[in-house]
Amino acid sequence: MSKVYRSSRSAEAQALSFEDVVMTGLAKDGGLFLPSEIPQLPSTFLKDWANASFQELAFNILRLYIDSKEIPDEDLKDLIARSYSTFRSEEVTPLKKIDDDLYLLELFHGPTYAFKDVALQFVGNLFEYFLIRRNAKKPADEPRDVITVVGATSGDTGSAAIYGLRGKKDVSVFILYPTGRISPIQEEQMTTVEDANVHTLSVKGTFDDCQDIVKQIFGDVEFNEKYHVGAVNSINWARILAQQTYYFYSYFQLQKTLKDTTSKIRFVVPSGNFGDILAGYYAYRMGLPVDKLIIATNENDILDRFMKSGRYEKSTEAEGAVKATYSPAMDIVISSNFERLLWYLIRDTVAKGNDEEAGKVLNSWMQQLKTTGSVVADEAVAQAARTIFASERVDNEETVSTIKQVYSTHPEKYVLDPHTSVGVTTSYRFISKDAKEDNIKYISLSTAHPAKFSEVVNKALDTIDGYSFEKDVLPAELKALSTKEKRINLIDEASLEKVKDAIKKELKY
Ligand SMILES: Cc1ncc(COP(=O)(O)O)c(C=O)c1O
Ligand SMILES: N[C@@H](CCOP(=O)(O)O)C(=O)O
């Protein structure tokens, strides 16, 4: 059972608790925290867990990673119950049949209509739980423990983090987003929240610039000591952990629908920062019978190129600049969580099972990536990735045409969001190559509600008779946002100092 965490870049194992890892976010050496051993599922889990609710499954999985001395059973159950009581679907993440071989895992039934809610509702409650416990032990004359959350978003993490943390005592939230590169509804979701502990910074630059500034803030010892910086991005291990539940839940849901336990199950995941699919990798390593994890990228295709060539490098076009695509939340060049996967792959191959050596090799690769923009992985590492992962790249035109095709052929006129469409396009490419006797079923992750991306959805569907965005797609709750006042704080340059100054100005200490 894994209870010890280490940094992906450090040679030394650090005996860190789950609480340390969650509250610290990023390791001091710039690496990501990961469990050195991945816990294994009980041998009877396929039978025992098959009929569990989402909440029961979440408990079973989290319990394998979090010691009951750190969070007792009763408290963990309460955290889980509160985190998923805010979802509009009783199942939390229901499965929807699209075709005989294709199912959509709808992850957008939380407060902000994006998959991030599944983890960030829980992470918000976790921060609060740890802070209440820490402060309860403090004498009245000592300063209270606080946390200053600093996060970067390409649109969805920001609002999900804000809705997970708004109004929470001793927590301040600062979300950086790239000016003009998120959808209007995403900006409204973040900037219309009135709680005094919530702040947004619209930064002139790309998501990668924002993510880079956030990582630099974590590396700033003085700033960190004063403000106690915390992470809501998927660099925070708790995000990856909480996302594992829906792989298990959908696996069992599909098995029940199929009544044929011999089917192979593949997950297709629209990917950017690699946090969502990485949760699937942990589920697989724990023992969930997954046939393949398929990475679906948009035209920002660093992950697809790695899978095909073993080279992890920024695009050769325009010095690796990010492209603005129809699936903007995935407009990311460097996928921060890919580092966690590389650590396991390196350890299992070139480092011959040695944790310290894996950290050393990965550290040198990450330095090389930073300085030259490119790393060539050992063939053994690339091969190890290919044993479970596959990938495809989807362009804007295909994204739009799949939205149109699914709407036109599905009996309920199902509307995909553009990120989900990248996954569905990828799924159809695989399905077209499968033989019937392969007996493969695809679960494609639906990562956001289509209403968040009106421009692309309308581009696909506007010419179809009878289609109406307002009537068929837009929930009243999101429609109401446009009438609220936005608080926009512009940072005119992607500058660490300017962001730090903006945070200091708001916190006033
Ligand atoms: C709607 C949507 N789909 C897909 C992704 C990609 O997920 P990940 O960054 O975990 O790979 C994101 C952003 O993270 C997103 O917001
Ligand atoms: N697509 C994300 C980018 C941040 O990714 P994260 O999973 O690391 O928080 C977003 O929508 O903000």
Side-chain angles (χ1 to χ4, degrees):
M1 233 185 235
S2 176
K3 301 282 190 275
V4 177
Y5 292 84
R6 60 181 303 131
S7 159
S8 58
R9 296 193 196 176
S10 123
E12 297 284 318
Q14 300 172 40
L16 286 177
S17 67
F18 177 69
E19 178 173 344
D20 290 336
V21 162
V22 172
M23 297 306 272
T24 314
L26 191 69
K28 286 197 177 66
D29 57 14
L32 305 188
F33 290 121
L34 41 79
S36 46
E37 295 305 326
I38 300 175
Q40 295 303 292
L41 296 166
S43 57
T44 54
F45 89 98
L46 280 176
K47 188 163 81 48
D48 296 348
W49 295 7
N51 295 311
S53 66
F54 183 96
Q55 289 83 345
E56 286 163 344
L57 275 179
F59 176 81
N60 293 346
I61 296 155
L62 295 173
R63 190 71 298 164
L64 292 174
Y65 287 91
I66 309 167
D67 201 295
S68 58
K69 289 193 202 90
E70 273 206 85
I71 306 183
D73 282 2
E74 216 174 291
D75 292 3
L76 187 56
K77 281 183 186 159
D78 175 61
L79 280 166
I80 291 168
R82 284 192 287 117
S83 301
Y84 300 116
S85 66
T86 54
F87 279 61
R88 292 178 300 279
S89 163
E90 210 177 300
E91 288 184 278
V92 184
T93 60
L95 200 60
K96 180 102 193 166
K97 185 171 181 176
I98 294 294
D99 258 338
D100 283 347
D101 299 325
L102 177 61
Y103 293 76
L104 271 190
L105 173 53
E106 292 184 341
L107 299 173
F108 53 74
H109 295 284
T112 71
Y113 295 78
F115 87 89
K116 313 282 176 163
D117 288 321
V118 179
L120 281 162
Q121 284 291 301
F122 177 71
V123 170
N125 288 324
L126 209 50
F127 280 156
E128 182 181 52
Y129 175 80
F130 288 137
L131 284 172
I132 289 175
R133 194 163 70 179
R134 286 178 181 191
N135 285 322
K137 288 184 199 141
K138 288 200 167 219
D141 55 352
E142 258 189 40
R144 296 174 67 80
D145 269 10
V146 298
I147 189 165
T148 305
V149 164
V150 185
T153 189
S154 53
D156 281 340
T157 293
S159 48
I162 287 170
Y163 278 71
L165 291 167
R166 59 191 294 184
K168 295 236 186 282
K169 197 167 162 55
D170 300 318
V171 181
S172 304
V173 192
F174 290 85
I175 299 295
L176 283 60
Y177 64 92
T179 307
R181 286 175 180 259
I182 65 173
S183 78
I185 284 191
Q186 286 176 317
E187 187 169 53
E188 283 165 10
Q189 281 183 307
M190 288 194 283
T191 58
T192 57
V193 171
E194 287 170 4
D195 300 69
N197 72 330
V198 169
H199 313 273
T200 55
L201 303 174
S202 172
V203 178
K204 193 156 183 256
T206 64
F207 168 76
D208 286 270
D209 295 328
C210 296
Q211 179 154 263
D212 217 40
I213 292 173
V214 168
K215 286 191 174 172
Q216 287 181 60
I217 287 178
F218 276 91
D220 184 328
V221 179
E222 204 184 314
F223 192 86
N224 228 310
E225 268 173 14
K226 183 159 180 196
Y227 296 109
H228 308 280
V229 183
V232 280
N233 282 107
S234 54
I235 53 175
N236 193 322
W237 162 250
R239 282 274 312 274
I240 310 298
L241 179 55
Q243 285 166 190
Q244 291 175 31
T245 308
Y246 48 73
Y247 285 89
F248 287 86
Y249 189 65
S250 59
Y251 177 88
F252 288 123
Q253 293 306 98
L254 183 54
Q255 289 291 13
K256 274 181 249 173
T257 314
L258 295 173
K259 298 188 191 75
D260 172 4
T261 49
T262 63
S263 302
K264 293 181 194 143
I265 296 184
R266 295 183 171 177
F267 287 93
V268 182
V269 189
S271 294
N273 233 359
F274 206 71
D276 202 3
I277 198 163
L278 188 75
Y281 180 69
Y282 280 101
Y284 158 74
R285 292 285 302 254
M286 287 166 77
L288 187 70
V290 175
D291 183 63
K292 275 265 176 268
L293 292 165
I294 300 171
I295 305 163
T297 77
N298 64 21
E299 293 167 38
N300 296 292
D301 57 357
I302 185 168
L303 296 168
D304 181 51
R305 285 183 286 110
F306 172 84
M307 287 306 300
K308 288 174 177 147
S309 69
R311 297 176 80 87
Y312 189 49
E313 66 183 350
K314 295 182 181 177
S315 163
T316 45
E317 289 167 47
E319 293 165 4
V322 69
K323 287 187 191 158
T325 73
Y326 288 174
S327 43
M330 297 176 355
D331 289 349
I332 296 174
V333 175
I334 297 296
S335 304
S336 65
N337 270 292
F338 196 59
E339 175 165 348
R340 283 190 169 111
L341 173 68
L342 284 176
W343 187 86
Y344 291 105
L345 298 177
I346 292 171
R347 183 183 64 171
D348 296 349
T349 57
V350 290
K352 300 189 170 59
N354 184 320
D355 289 5
E356 277 185 37
E357 182 61 16
K360 280 186 198 154
V361 174
L362 184 59
N363 192 24
S364 71
W365 286 15
M366 289 298 124
Q367 299 311 329
Q368 198 185 326
L369 182 68
K370 203 174 173 72
T371 49
T372 68
S374 166
V375 173
V376 183
D378 295 64
E379 187 48 27
V381 170
Q383 278 302 347
R386 289 180 197 122
T387 58
I388 179 67
F389 289 99
S391 70
E392 284 292 327
R393 168 197 196 268
V394 173
D395 66 24
N396 282 339
E397 212 179 303
E398 295 164 300
T399 305
V400 167
S401 107
T402 301
I403 296 174
K404 193 169 182 172
Q405 184 208 321
V406 170
Y407 179 86
S408 311
T409 54
H410 193 269
E412 290 166 29
K413 295 193 182 330
Y414 196 92
V415 181
L416 302 173
D417 107 281
H419 306 78
T420 306
S421 177
V422 168
V424 169
T425 308
T426 297
S427 306
Y428 279 129
R429 274 192 212 157
F430 275 84
I431 291 169
S432 71
K433 288 184 229 145
D434 292 339
K436 201 89 209 122
E437 58 274 21
D438 291 342
N439 197 10
I440 301 172
K441 303 292 173 194
Y442 291 79
I443 297 179
S444 207
L445 273 57
S446 179
T447 50
H449 191 285
K452 298 186 86 169
F453 304 97
S454 57
E455 205 182 313
V456 180
V457 170
N458 287 338
K459 198 184 277 289
L461 304 180
D462 253 355
T463 56
I464 299 182
D465 259 3
Y467 163 78
S468 153
F469 180 78
E470 293 248 333
K471 192 162 64 62
D472 303 336
V473 186
L474 189 63
E477 199 184 334
L478 294 184
K479 188 177 178 183
L481 289 174
S482 63
T483 59
K484 294 191 177 168
E485 198 189 328
K486 291 195 272 183
R487 284 191 292 163
I488 297 196
N489 190 355
L490 277 173
I491 307 285
D492 60 7
E493 190 191 342
S495 137
L496 171 65
E497 289 313 317
K498 287 195 175 179
V499 168
K500 277 175 26 185
D501 285 348
I503 296 175
K504 287 180 197 166
K505 195 169 149 212
E506 291 291 346
L507 291 178
K508 301 188 185 71
Y509 66 92

